[in-house]
Amino acid sequence: MPEMKCHRDVKGRDALYKKLEARMQDEKQWLPSKRRYLSLGNGEVTFLERDHAIRGILNLTKMFKMFPETYAMAVNFADRFLAVIKVRAIHLHCVALTCVYVAVKLQEEQQYIPDINALMNAAVKTELRAPSYGPSDLLRMERKVLDKLEWDLNPITPLTMLELYFAAACLDACLLPEENPNDELSMLTEQLEIALCYSSIAIYTVRSSIRSLKSLKKRSKKFKKFKKLN
């Protein structure tokens, strides 16, 4: 797993909580609309198909050892896109891979960004296997995704909130002496990544901050004593 990107620019408790509160206020604008998801069916993407594709995104990002932020961003893009446009199930894999491709270019270091062909070849080894599309289809889908997302490509994701919550928990000495902060954050991140594969959590748990907080509290009983997170 790549080294976590930490919020070391935040100095002091007050600054951290101010940033956390600001992110909690702003996060709503990047949440997918639940109304569209309620109408899925009749050949459109179902919840099960959505979850299956997200697992493919997770496995693909793991295969290339991408940053966790890349995965979280790709999931956000996919859910927001599915919330604003009707997508036939046969096109879902193309949408999912496109969201990975966009997130990769935003998050990964230039020398580690795989090209379209490498992504497509790797995708067939995941839940996104057997694509019925080519590189030109992916590029066309990329333009459509960017248009429907209105080029709003810097979302607040559950991972954003988890890292901020975790930093606040560390400041309040919520870790046990024998617990390594990096190891704990990596473990929490992996749990959150899996949770996002389930639409019941990713879509119907209304806010990213709530999803992240649940992951944090579930990890350790001691975190439940952290009153600032409630």
Side-chain angles (χ1 to χ4, degrees), residues 5-215:
K5 296 178 181 177
C6 298
H7 296 275
R8 295 193 179 95
D9 58 304
V10 181
K11 296 181 179 180
R13 185 188 307 272
D14 292 340
L16 177 59
Y17 281 119
K18 185 176 181 180
K19 184 173 184 178
L20 181 55
E21 290 174 3
R23 293 293 183 270
M24 289 177 68
Q25 291 295 322
D26 294 340
E27 64 177 336
K28 293 180 181 179
Q29 65 181 298
W30 288 289
L31 296 175
S33 169
K34 290 188 290 183
R35 182 176 300 175
R36 266 289 300 127
Y37 272 93
L38 289 171
S39 64
L40 291 182
N42 299 321
E44 295 178 45
V45 176
T46 65
F47 291 115
L48 185 61
E49 288 166 335
R50 176 266 177 205
D51 295 351
H52 194 259
I54 298 301
R55 282 193 291 274
I57 291 177
L58 177 58
N59 288 328
L60 186 61
T61 56
K62 294 291 186 184
M63 190 179 300
F64 283 97
K65 299 182 179 180
M66 296 173 182
F67 288 120
E69 288 88 344
T70 302
Y71 166 70
M73 184 172 283
V75 173
N76 178 273
F77 292 162
D79 282 335
R80 286 165 56 202
F81 183 76
L82 292 172
V84 298
I85 188 172
K86 293 182 178 180
V87 176
R88 307 292 290 181
I90 59 173
H91 301 309
L92 178 59
H93 289 181
C94 185
V95 170
L97 189 56
T98 298
C99 291
V100 174
Y101 183 58
V102 174
V104 163
K105 291 191 290 185
L106 293 169
Q107 287 290 331
E108 300 295 324
E109 297 178 13
Q110 187 66 37
Q111 63 268 34
Y112 299 123
I113 296 177
D115 59 28
I116 291 180
N117 289 320
L119 274 178
M120 294 185 70
N121 290 336
V124 301
K125 301 175 183 178
T126 72
E127 288 80 356
L128 305 179
R129 58 185 173 274
S132 57
Y133 50 87
S136 60
D137 299 307
L138 202 68
L139 292 176
R140 282 194 296 271
M141 184 62 73
E142 180 184 22
R143 290 191 292 271
K144 183 177 291 188
V145 168
L146 293 173
D147 178 60
K148 293 302 179 181
L149 297 183
E150 299 181 345
W151 287 82
D152 191 350
L153 304 177
N154 190 28
I156 295 174
T157 69
L159 182 59
T160 307
M161 301 307 299
L162 176 62
E163 291 180 346
L164 285 170
Y165 277 137
F166 187 82
C170 290
L171 281 178
D172 270 29
C174 289
L175 287 179
L176 297 173
E178 65 271 18
E179 292 176 326
N180 181 287
N182 288 332
D183 291 344
E184 290 297 312
L185 183 55
S186 293
M187 190 175 300
L188 286 165
T189 299
E190 290 176 2
Q191 292 174 353
L192 183 61
E193 288 173 337
I194 294 172
L196 293 180
C197 292
Y198 297 91
S199 53
S200 58
I201 298 174
I203 299 168
Y204 283 98
T205 299
V206 180
R207 294 170 59 177
S208 297
S209 57
I210 295 175
R211 290 173 240 161
S212 302
L213 180 54
K214 285 183 177 180
S215 295

Side-chain angles (χ1 to χ4, degrees), residues 174 213-214 216-230:
C174 289
L213 180 54
K214 285 183 177 180
L216 187 62
K217 285 187 173 182
K218 188 176 181 180
R219 175 70 187 95
S220 172
K221 291 181 179 179
K222 192 170 182 180
F223 283 130
K224 295 181 182 179
K225 299 178 182 179
F226 184 41
K227 302 301 183 183
K228 291 282 188 178
L229 293 181
N230 293 307

